[in-house]
Amino acid sequence: MKIYEELQARGLIAQVTDEAEIRELINNGGAKFYIGFDPTADSLHVGHFMALCLMKRLQLAGNKPVVLLGGGTGFIGDPSGRTDMRSMMSAETIQHNCDCFLKQIGKFIEFGEDKAIVVNNADWLLDLKYVDLLRDVGAYFSVNNMLRARCYEQRMERGLSFFEFNYMIMQSYDFLYLNEKYGCNMQFGGDDQWSNMLAGTELIRKKTGKDAYAMTITLLLNSEGNKMGKTAKGAVWLDPNKTTPFEFYQYWRNIDDADVMKCIRLLTFIPVEQIEEIDHWDASRINEKKELLAYELTSMIHGKDEADKAKETSLALFAGDGDDSNMPSTTVSEESLSDGQIGILDLLVMGNLTKSKGEARRLIDQGGITLNGEKVTSSDEKVTSEALKDGIKIKKGKKVYHKFVLEDDK
């Protein structure tokens, strides 16, 4: 099976501009393609994961990736999929985030001569002169067509700043610049990027007469699942300091039954033929499928050793044998105690299980918190220093486990 057909079989392809041409380019290793990563945080998240996997698949098939870090577009922010304007970041924050992204991307993509390259659009966007840009590029954009784009249409009622309105032009200019300087002939992105990608493709064709192509990939999971990596609350990061390997494993181990096979197809490198066999497993083996998915993805991100630890801990918790050696934990200081006790609300906030005591209280009221296997029924519940010396385990919902231990005074 050739690579384009494999992408189809895995359900990765959402839309393409010119299927026959794209198929031939990709199957013959002739695509020099780019995927952009706007540095909105200091870590990539699960929303980026599928793009990285796609980039790796295409590189293994002989195509040349161009990793575009959005050091320039990061100053604006993409309105796609948003209901409000993104907070502006400082130049220092944007550069720091770009550096963090590149370290993580380097674990997936092979850089070097005749391999992948990395570029930062700050190198050309920040030096642009406004009038020159209007004369050189602006004439190729129809405001009427831009306003019909989904990324703008959904924001019109709530309000769309002129600042954000420029994002499509900036992204299109990226494609034009990469095409002229590096011979980049194809752009990939999420399905929510279709309008911006079409604009870039049309800009190249109208301005240079060259061929350019765009292909979007299927959004990960359902609409709610796709938001997981994009929000500060409940985000699933690829950085182990933000989402531990165990938490990462548990995220995939506990996804909805209906999403398991989709994720196995989209994200793992298990051969398609083997995936078809897995798909026909008896329904009683759903947990086995989830464990397979969680292990494969945790191995890819954090390595086999961490995946082994996460799997062992998860199985032990499921079996109820109490092995919590690899569970995320928080050390509680003596100074945090009052009369030898600490409130359950304080612990939930301290362990970053909730952002506030109000959120913690609501979770308890909804029956979403258990302490050492017992459901917490009162927001006033206290935990003693004696209990903390032995270590306590709190479970939030069905997916999140956390251990709390008292600081050793030695």
Side-chain angles (χ1 to χ4, degrees), residues 31-252:
K32 191 164 189 179
F33 66 97
Y34 93 87
I35 297 179
F37 299 87
D38 269 356
T40 55
D42 59 1
S43 172
L44 298 168
H45 52 63
V46 296
H48 298 113
F49 195 13
M50 189 162 59
L52 291 173
C53 290
L54 175 66
M55 190 172 278
K56 183 173 182 177
R57 294 183 206 280
L58 291 170
Q59 183 176 46
L60 290 173
N63 298 284
K64 304 297 187 298
V66 176
V67 175
L68 175 63
L69 299 175
T73 43
F75 279 89
I76 300 176
D78 183 4
S80 298
R82 299 184 62 84
T83 57
D84 57 0
M85 185 171 172
R86 180 182 288 132
S87 299
M88 295 188 194
M89 298 180 291
S90 68
E92 293 76 17
T93 297
I94 291 173
Q95 184 58 54
H96 171 72
N97 292 350
C98 285
D99 293 341
C100 293
F101 275 25
L102 185 56
K103 288 179 182 178
Q104 292 178 326
I105 293 171
K107 296 178 181 179
F108 285 81
I109 307 304
E110 188 175 359
F111 293 101
E113 186 176 351
D114 200 35
K115 293 177 182 173
I117 63 171
V118 60
V119 294
N120 188 325
N121 61 19
D123 294 340
W124 57 87
L125 292 183
L126 299 188
D127 292 332
L128 285 175
K129 294 181 179 179
Y130 187 61
V131 174
D132 290 344
L133 178 67
L134 290 179
R135 288 173 59 88
D136 191 40
V137 175
Y140 294 94
F141 285 82
S142 162
V143 172
N144 290 345
N145 288 339
M146 291 176 72
L147 290 175
R148 283 194 289 268
R150 186 174 62 182
C151 60
Y152 293 141
E153 184 180 36
Q154 64 190 8
R155 284 287 305 278
M156 291 302 292
E157 292 184 6
R158 294 177 179 268
L160 176 71
S161 72
F162 182 71
F163 188 58
E164 295 171 289
F165 189 64
N166 280 270
Y167 191 91
M168 181 183 288
I169 297 176
M170 296 294 98
Q171 183 170 331
S172 300
Y173 186 83
D174 282 344
F175 198 2
L176 175 66
Y177 183 91
L178 294 174
N179 178 270
E180 293 181 334
K181 185 171 179 64
Y182 298 104
C184 187
N185 55 16
M186 199 174 299
Q187 180 181 182
F188 291 87
D191 199 18
D192 56 344
Q193 289 288 307
W194 185 238
S195 298
N196 291 343
M197 293 167 65
L198 278 181
T201 298
E202 289 304 308
L203 175 62
I204 293 173
R205 291 177 175 178
K206 290 176 181 178
K207 184 171 172 56
T208 70
K210 297 179 182 177
D211 286 326
Y213 309 99
M215 185 178 93
T216 62
I217 53 181
T218 308
L219 289 176
L220 179 63
L221 304 179
N222 51 45
S223 58
E224 289 303 311
N226 188 55
K227 295 175 184 175
M228 280 294 292
K230 298 184 177 181
T231 58
K233 178 182 176 181
V236 179
W237 306 100
L238 306 192
D239 184 343
N241 294 315
K242 296 171 76 72
T243 297
T244 67
F246 174 76
E247 291 168 332
F248 188 82
Y249 183 96
Q250 285 298 108
Y251 171 71
W252 299 107

Side-chain angles (χ1 to χ4, degrees), residues 273-290:
E273 296 79 8
Q274 186 178 343
I275 290 176
E276 292 308 313
E277 294 177 9
I278 296 170
D279 194 22
H280 288 91
W281 286 359
D282 186 86
S284 63
R285 299 178 69 182
I286 185 63
N287 286 328
E288 193 176 342
K289 292 180 183 179
K290 291 183 178 183

